[in-house]
Amino acid sequence: MQILSTNNVNGDFVSMKLTNPKHMAGLSGSNQKREPVVSSFADMFNNALNEVNDLEAKSKNLAVQMAIDPDSVDIHTVQIAAEEAESAVLFTKAIFDRVVRAYKEITNLR
């Protein structure tokens, strides 16, 4: 067991030795993509809906490009974009249904 010196201890904080940088990549890595801070729940909700809309638009654009010029787009790319968009819409619908159900339960409590 290693005894810590007073230089390693500052109140309740203990400095830790980093043996593998991948273990704490989310904490100190600048290469990690950080989520932007939103100011309200409405902003977060609107951003999420815009991302779902962007996935739908990307899927539609790839399908149109596939119909116009089949050699310019790989069929796998079109299928993956379509499945991503469909999954996003299904998750969004599920969340919306849960929010509506929760709202109805809250209004019925009165």
Side-chain angles (χ1 to χ4, degrees):
M1 182 167 123
Q2 178 184 2
I3 304 293
L4 297 174
S5 69
T6 56
N7 296 337
N8 295 18
V9 179
N10 184 11
D12 293 340
F13 299 104
V14 178
S15 60
M16 297 175 62
K17 184 178 10 171
L18 184 64
T19 57
N20 188 343
K22 292 182 180 178
H23 290 167
M24 299 179 73
L27 299 176
S28 63
S30 61
N31 58 355
Q32 295 289 328
K33 180 180 175 185
R34 295 180 185 246
E35 292 292 324
V37 177
V38 293
S39 61
S40 68
F41 178 76
D43 290 340
M44 181 190 69
F45 196 71
N46 284 333
N47 290 342
L49 287 177
N50 286 335
E51 288 179 19
V52 171
N53 188 38
D54 291 344
L55 286 172
E56 279 289 318
K58 176 184 171 187
S59 172
K60 183 178 178 181
N61 290 339
L62 284 173
V64 167
Q65 186 177 354
M66 181 74 169
I68 293 172
D69 186 15
D71 295 332
S72 68
V73 181
D74 189 22
I75 184 67
H76 299 292
T77 306
V78 176
Q79 185 66 32
I80 290 170
E83 290 297 324
E84 284 178 346
E86 183 180 2
S87 296
V89 168
L90 289 175
F91 283 131
T92 303
K93 184 184 179 313
I95 291 170
F96 180 76
D97 289 345
R98 290 276 179 117
V99 168
V100 169
R101 188 180 321 145
Y103 178 76
K104 286 180 180 179
E105 288 180 13
I106 289 172
T107 57
N108 287 336
L109 291 176
R110 294 182 189 176

